[in-house]
Amino acid sequence: EYKSYLSNIASSMVLSLIVRRSISTTRCLVAKPVLPAVARKQPRVCKPDFTKCQGAAVLEGEEDPVLGPDEDYPDWLWALADRPKTIDEHIKKPDKDLFNKMRYVKKMMNKRIMKLRHRHPELAKELAFPSDEEVIDRIRQYEQMRAGQDAAKNEFILSIRNRAAEEIAARKGGIEPGRNLR
């Protein structure tokens, strides 16, 4: 009888260590069990499947839709990946995009002039709204600035990829240095 009493006390002590009562609620918080060490997972190998559109499944658990031949898709779909036209290309063959771009930039320039006129009423006569030629020049300046930024960004990305390829090759001996990691 004394042994059963001691075992009850021991089990209640262990239970009190595992289960703690929360002061603010009546829920019991249970300590996380200690799991045994798990073997390290194998590294994932990228094997692209170009017959399916990966990640396009609508519902979880469904298979990705199968891609058909290129001829089954409309021509405008392939133009989405092309770089946008520059202002000079738009001017050679005017279209709706040219006028939308000019209207947007002209609107932004007009807002800036209105703010300056409001802040400095003495300069109101000198601050004129931009003409179409000035708007086109502003768009050209922006495109040149953006082209320089894009070139620098692409150069930086390429250098990072090459450095990563060299490090991987040094560690595993798998990828040749200088190979593009795309």
Side-chain angles (χ1 to χ4, degrees):
E1 202 174 295
Y2 184 70
K3 287 183 182 181
S4 64
Y5 175 73
L6 285 178
S7 65
N8 286 340
I9 291 176
S11 63
S12 66
M13 288 175 64
V14 169
L15 192 63
S16 68
L17 289 174
I18 294 176
V19 178
R20 293 172 293 174
R21 187 143 183 111
S22 174
I23 296 171
S24 63
T25 64
T26 57
R27 294 183 307 146
C28 291
L29 302 175
V30 179
K32 290 184 179 179
V34 178
L35 299 175
V38 180
R40 192 173 195 176
K41 292 181 181 178
Q42 293 294 325
R44 293 188 333 173
V45 178
C46 180
K47 295 180 182 174
D49 182 14
F50 295 112
T51 60
K52 294 184 179 183
C53 184
Q54 294 182 351
V58 178
L59 299 175
E60 190 174 324
E62 284 186 350
E63 284 196 29
D64 293 325
V66 178
L67 295 175
D70 291 350
E71 296 80 33
D72 292 350
Y73 298 100
D75 293 334
W76 60 263
L77 181 66
W78 308 113
L80 292 177
D82 296 341
R83 64 174 179 78
K85 290 182 179 178
T86 63
I87 190 70
D88 294 323
E89 292 170 354
H90 277 298
I91 290 173
K92 288 178 186 173
K93 187 179 177 187
D95 58 356
K96 185 178 178 182
D97 293 336
L98 168 68
F99 299 109
N100 286 341
K101 187 181 266 189
M102 285 181 61
R103 187 179 71 201
Y104 175 76
V105 172
K106 193 170 196 171
K107 188 177 179 182
M108 293 299 115
M109 292 173 78
N110 287 344
K111 278 185 179 181
R112 188 170 291 155
I113 288 173
M114 291 301 288
K115 285 181 182 179
L116 287 172
R117 282 183 174 183
H118 183 70
R119 288 184 193 150
H120 307 285
E122 67 277 3
L123 300 175
K125 292 180 182 177
E126 298 166 16
L127 292 171
F129 292 110
S131 64
D132 288 345
E133 290 81 21
E134 292 172 332
V135 172
I136 290 172
D137 288 340
R138 179 68 182 120
I139 294 172
R140 276 194 191 112
Q141 289 173 358
Y142 174 77
E143 287 175 351
Q144 288 172 351
M145 177 193 68
R146 188 64 193 249
Q149 289 174 347
D150 288 346
K153 178 182 168 186
N154 291 340
E155 183 181 328
F156 175 72
I157 289 171
L158 189 61
S159 69
I160 293 292
R161 285 187 177 142
N162 287 336
R163 193 174 341 144
E166 290 170 3
E167 288 179 15
I168 291 170
R171 277 189 266 147
K172 296 184 179 179
I175 300 174
E176 312 90 44
R179 180 175 164 218
N180 198 352
L181 287 179
R182 275 194 188 186

